[in-house]
Structure formats: structure tokens, C-alpha cells
Amino acid sequence: LTSQGDTRVDMAAMEMGASDYLNKATVTADLLERSIRYALERACSEETLRKSEEKFRSLSENAPDIIYTLGVDGSFTYVNPAWSDIMGYGKDETLGKYFVAFVKEKDAEACVHGFKRVRNDKAIIRDQIISMLNKDGTSRLFNLSGAPDLNPSGEVTGMVGLLKDITEHRKTEARLQQAQKMEAIGTLAGGIAHDFNNILSAVIGYSELGKMKVVGGSDLYADLNEIYKAGIRAKELV
């Protein structure tokens, strides 16, 4: 609130954070009330924005999954700490680098295509599985999600997204599938063994009956005895 009508003072005050500029010669109660209301609303909005940013920062900094943002050229503009924890790269090794530089070659083209859809068509990517190269040279499997990052005018300024590490989950699934296969094979083998054992029981039993009906020491007795011994060996093998 000043008695001077100097535009330079007006601009300087606004640059220093003033919400409005009033001249004592022209100020009225209504004008003063409006300026105060505007200043309070602006302060309230700034406080709400600050709290919102702090909440987002807290969530992002402590999230177990990788949260990232990309510029319109597909380069990293932000990564949360989970990126370094999982991938091993520091922020200085990541920011400004292209996203596809960290993606395995077989998935790079699909990533570029997906990013173009987000940037040009405002599309949303969900559950795209990609392999990325860790700093130690190993690869990790991620579930990729992404959405357009919009400015207040609704223009796309890049992409914001999430990378969920599913490497161990997939390994566990693979082990489970292998165990299920082995279990199925075991069940099949057990069933076959049981049925085959029933057949051998008949072979052994009838060879014993045959031996009882022929003269001991004869050629036929010797043949039946060989059948009996082979049946016993087969039973032990089963």
C-alpha cells in the first residue's frame, strides 16, 4: 500500500512476492477487501500446493517401486530412490539419459512405440513387461506403466510412470511351474508303476502255478522258472 504511483515499484513489489499493489489515493474499502481476500486465497493455495508436493515427495521417496518422469524427448527428468536401490545407477548417471538406453535391445522398440503413443495420443500404458539392464550387467524384469505428464494447458510435457520389479516373482513362478510339472510326472509314473505291478503279479503268479504242474528239472520247468525270476526282477525295478 503506497502513495506512489510508480510502475517500477509496482513490478518490484510483485516480484518480491506481493499479491497486489494498491495506491492510497484510489483505494476503497471494497478494493482493499478484494485485495486482502485474494492475498489470503493465494496464500492458502500455495500452502495447499506445498503440502501436496510434500506428500507426493514423501510417498515417492519411500515407495518400493520405481517412480519416474520423462521429458518429451524420452529422457529421464526424475527418478525416486528406488531406482538406485534396484538398478544401481545414481541420479547423476540417469537424469538426462534416454529411457531406452537402460532397456534390453529386444524391448527397446516396443518402449519407443509406447512412449510415442503417450506423447502424441495421450495414451496410457499398463502392464507392459520389459527387461532392463542393471548397472552390474544383469537384467531385471519390470512391469511398466506410464501416462502423459500434462501442464495446466493440457499439453503433454512428457511422461510419468511406474516400474515394478517382477524379477523374483517370475523366478518363483517358474520354480512353481517346474515343481508342478515334476509333481504331474510323479503322479503319472506312480500310476503306471501301480498298473504295471498288477500285470507282473499275474505273470509271477501264473509262472508259479505252471511250475507246480510240471516235472521239476524238465526244460519246461526251467523256462517257467526263468519267467518267474524275470518277473521278480521287474517287480523290484518298479
Side-chain angles (χ1 to χ4, degrees):
L1 184 62
T2 178
S3 59
Q4 301 176 20
D6 192 332
T7 305
R8 290 175 301 173
V9 176
D10 183 357
M11 296 300 296
M14 299 295 279
E15 288 174 0
M16 292 175 67
S19 298
D20 205 349
Y21 179 89
L22 299 177
N23 191 313
K24 292 178 180 177
T26 58
V27 71
T28 63
D30 289 341
L31 186 60
L32 183 59
E33 180 186 349
R34 188 197 68 183
S35 294
I36 292 173
R37 186 187 304 113
Y38 172 70
L40 291 173
E41 289 174 353
R42 177 181 170 183
C44 183
S45 297
E46 289 176 346
E47 178 65 11
T48 301
L49 180 60
R50 184 186 63 79
K51 288 182 178 179
S52 178
E53 289 176 343
E54 286 181 354
K55 185 176 182 180
F56 169 78
R57 186 178 299 107
S58 176
L59 290 172
S60 177
E61 297 293 300
N62 295 289
D65 299 322
I66 296 171
I67 298 173
Y68 66 91
T69 61
L70 307 178
V72 289
D73 62 348
S75 63
F76 280 105
T77 55
Y78 169 81
V79 286
N80 69 335
W83 168 264
S84 297
D85 295 340
I86 296 172
M87 296 293 290
Y89 299 100
K91 285 189 176 182
D92 57 329
E93 300 173 288
T94 306
L95 300 183
K97 303 288 181 60
Y98 291 114
F99 182 90
V100 291
F102 301 90
V103 179
K104 291 195 73 173
E105 187 176 352
K106 68 182 183 68
D107 295 327
E109 186 176 348
C111 285
V112 171
H113 176 71
F115 177 71
K116 285 181 178 179
R117 287 180 55 238
V118 172
R119 184 185 62 188
N120 301 334
D121 305 326
K122 297 184 180 180
I124 295 177
I125 300 173
R126 292 187 178 91
D127 301 327
Q128 182 175 339
I129 307 302
I130 62 169
S131 295
M132 301 187 73
L133 292 169
N134 213 338
K135 188 175 182 179
D136 62 9
T138 59
S139 65
R140 301 197 70 82
L141 205 60
F142 289 92
N143 185 315
L144 166 71
S145 300
D149 193 4
L150 306 175
N151 64 15
S153 301
E155 298 170 329
V156 178
T157 59
M159 175 174 164
V160 58
L162 186 74
L163 285 167
K164 185 176 183 62
D165 187 0
I166 59 172
T167 309
E168 296 305 320
H169 178 69
R170 283 299 178 91
K171 287 180 180 179
T172 301
E173 281 186 342
R175 287 194 292 268
L176 178 59
Q177 289 175 356
Q178 183 65 18
Q180 289 173 336
K181 289 178 183 178
M182 295 304 295
E183 183 181 1
I185 292 172
T187 301
L188 176 63
I192 293 173
H194 177 76
D195 291 342
F196 191 58
N197 201 48
N198 289 339
I199 297 170
L200 288 175
S201 295
V203 172
I204 293 169
Y206 279 107
S207 62
E208 285 183 308
L209 289 174
K211 286 166 61 179
M212 294 170 60
K213 294 178 181 179
V214 298
V215 179
S218 65
D219 290 343
L220 181 56
Y221 183 91
D223 291 342
L224 288 170
N225 194 49
E226 289 301 320
I227 294 173
Y228 171 79
K229 289 191 292 183
I232 295 296
R233 288 197 303 271
K235 184 175 182 180
E236 290 172 350
L237 178 62
V238 170

